[in-house]
């Protein structure tokens, strides 16, 4: 896990489906802790993840969030043994909208509203809703045991956790449809080639690689990091003209900050900048 970061647990009880801890300075980690089910989520799991993301977004103490799963799995999708999918059909039809809106849709919205870097650390399966969760993060670092895809169609279910929007943007419409219609899973190298993973590392190096990346991000100016994320995300649905106009306003907001002045001074002095986030 790197050269000895002190991991301090901040949130976990016997009834929780996740653990939140301070992985390193400026780096917070959410771990799904349902390893016997390969971290498949139920309604409670989604509510806890969403609340933890929202808390991270509102708290300036940490700059980077890492989302992962315990026991060699990221997230195998929805838990069919305990969720609304396994109940009576009438209850499914009547309750589905509320359950998913307050569950995984809240998670997707929380990640969309988070203006700080979020990294998915993926070992083992990231399937269906688990793949959607990974793709809603900014970066996805997987090890060589990672398996990504969506097999929901095998039981007649839909990519309703955000996958219908996220999958084609990551891998193209044709590949997304082939995956969904064919219920395909991809190994780590295939997932990398399709754009589902950002980087693949050996399993023994996964934690150290993610921690090194997260720590490197914490050394950049926090306000700049946030604005860069907003600019890039917004540009995906903007014209070039609109993106350039947004850049004009962003420059006006950022260039006169204390961190930019410190960054330029440090560059001229040939020293490491000391950013303070203002």
């Amino acid at each position: 896990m790197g050269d000895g970061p002190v991991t301090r647990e901040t949130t976990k009880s016997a009834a929780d489906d996740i653990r939140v801890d301070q992985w390193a300075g400026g780096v917070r980690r959410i771990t799904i802790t349902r390893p016997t089910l390969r971290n498949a989520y139920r309604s409670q799991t989604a509510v806890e993840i969403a609340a933890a993301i929202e808390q991270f977004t509102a708290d300036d103490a940490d700059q980077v969030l890492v989302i992962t799963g315990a026991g060699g799995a990221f997230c195998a999708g929805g838990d069919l043994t305990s969720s609304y999918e396994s109940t009576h059909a009438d209850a499914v039809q009547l309750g589905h909208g509320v359950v998913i809106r307050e569950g995984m849709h809240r998670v997707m919205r929380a990640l969309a509203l988070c203006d700080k870097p979020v990294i998915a650390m993926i070992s083992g399966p990231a399937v269906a809703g688990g793949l959607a969760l990974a793709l809603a993060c900014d970066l996805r670092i997987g090890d060589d045991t990672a398996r990504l895809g969506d097999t929901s169609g095998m039981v007649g279910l839909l990519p309703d956790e955000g996958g219908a929007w996220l999958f084609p943007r990551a891998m193209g419409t044709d590949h997304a449809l082939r995956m969904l219609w064919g219920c395909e899973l991809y190994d780590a190298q295939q997932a990398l080639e399709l754009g589902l993973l950002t980087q693949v590392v050996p399993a023994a190096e996964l934690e150290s690689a993610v921690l090194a990346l997260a720590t490197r991000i914490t050394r950049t100016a926090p306000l700049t990091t946030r604005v860069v994320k907003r600019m890039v995300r917004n540009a995906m649905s903007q014209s070039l003209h609109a993106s350039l106009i947004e850049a004009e306003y962003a420059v006006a907001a950022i260039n006169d900050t204390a961190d930019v002045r410190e960054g330029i001074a440090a560059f001229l002095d040939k020293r490491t900048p000391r950013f303070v986030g203002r």
Side-chain angles (χ1 to χ4, degrees):
M1 194 170 64
D3 295 328
V6 176
T7 301
R8 177 173 57 82
E9 186 173 289
T10 56
T11 306
K12 176 67 181 170
S13 74
D16 290 338
D17 285 358
I18 69 171
R19 179 177 65 250
V20 182
D21 66 279
Q22 195 73 29
W23 196 11
V27 182
R28 193 177 304 187
R29 177 172 53 177
I30 296 172
T31 304
I32 307 172
T33 54
R34 309 187 79 212
T36 58
L37 295 169
R38 303 181 75 75
N39 298 316
Y41 66 84
R42 54 182 175 169
S43 296
Q44 176 182 325
T45 320
V47 169
E48 291 179 14
I49 294 171
I53 295 168
E54 291 161 356
Q55 184 181 45
F56 165 76
T57 302
D59 186 356
D60 288 338
D62 291 316
Q63 294 172 247
V64 180
L65 179 65
V66 174
I67 300 178
T68 191
F74 181 74
C75 175
D79 175 8
L80 301 185
T81 69
S82 65
S83 68
Y84 55 87
E85 287 96 342
S86 62
T87 61
H88 188 272
D90 290 342
V92 171
Q93 293 173 8
L94 293 173
H96 174 85
V98 173
V99 171
I100 197 167
R101 184 169 61 247
E102 298 303 319
M104 283 304 290
H105 285 187
R106 180 181 165 194
V107 173
M108 295 297 113
R109 291 188 178 97
L111 286 168
L113 291 171
C114 180
D115 60 355
K116 294 188 282 185
V118 182
I119 302 171
M121 181 168 68
I122 302 170
S123 182
V127 180
L131 177 57
L133 174 62
L135 290 175
C137 299
D138 301 306
L139 304 172
R140 288 158 300 284
I141 313 301
D143 67 22
D144 46 22
T145 73
R147 297 292 181 269
L148 289 79
D150 193 322
T151 58
S152 300
M154 294 179 69
V155 292
L157 294 175
L158 299 170
D160 54 6
E161 303 96 337
W165 192 91
L166 290 160
F167 298 161
R169 283 167 170 79
M171 61 197 305
T173 301
D174 54 344
H175 288 296
L177 287 172
R178 189 183 75 174
M179 177 182 71
L180 292 166
W181 287 337
C183 301
E184 294 183 344
L185 286 178
Y186 307 110
D187 63 30
Q189 189 59 41
Q190 290 173 313
L192 180 66
E193 293 169 358
L194 286 167
L196 300 177
L197 287 174
T198 309
Q199 180 183 359
V200 176
V201 299
E205 300 174 15
L206 179 61
E207 289 197 347
S208 60
V210 173
L211 183 59
L213 174 59
T215 301
R216 187 160 67 249
I217 294 172
T218 67
R219 295 173 183 150
T220 61
L223 290 177
T224 298
T225 300
R226 290 186 174 198
V227 173
V228 164
K229 177 170 176 175
R230 291 179 182 178
M231 290 175 68
V232 171
R233 286 290 183 94
N234 290 345
M236 296 298 292
S237 59
Q238 290 175 329
S239 66
L240 174 60
H241 179 67
S243 181
L244 293 174
I245 291 174
E246 180 175 0
E248 293 174 16
Y249 286 101
V251 165
I254 288 295
N255 279 17
D256 194 37
T257 60
D259 278 353
V260 168
R261 292 193 291 273
E262 164 63 12
I264 293 173
F267 174 79
L268 296 174
D269 294 341
K270 295 181 173 54
R271 60 176 175 81
T272 301
R274 296 180 291 273
F275 295 124
V276 294
R278 63 175 184 270

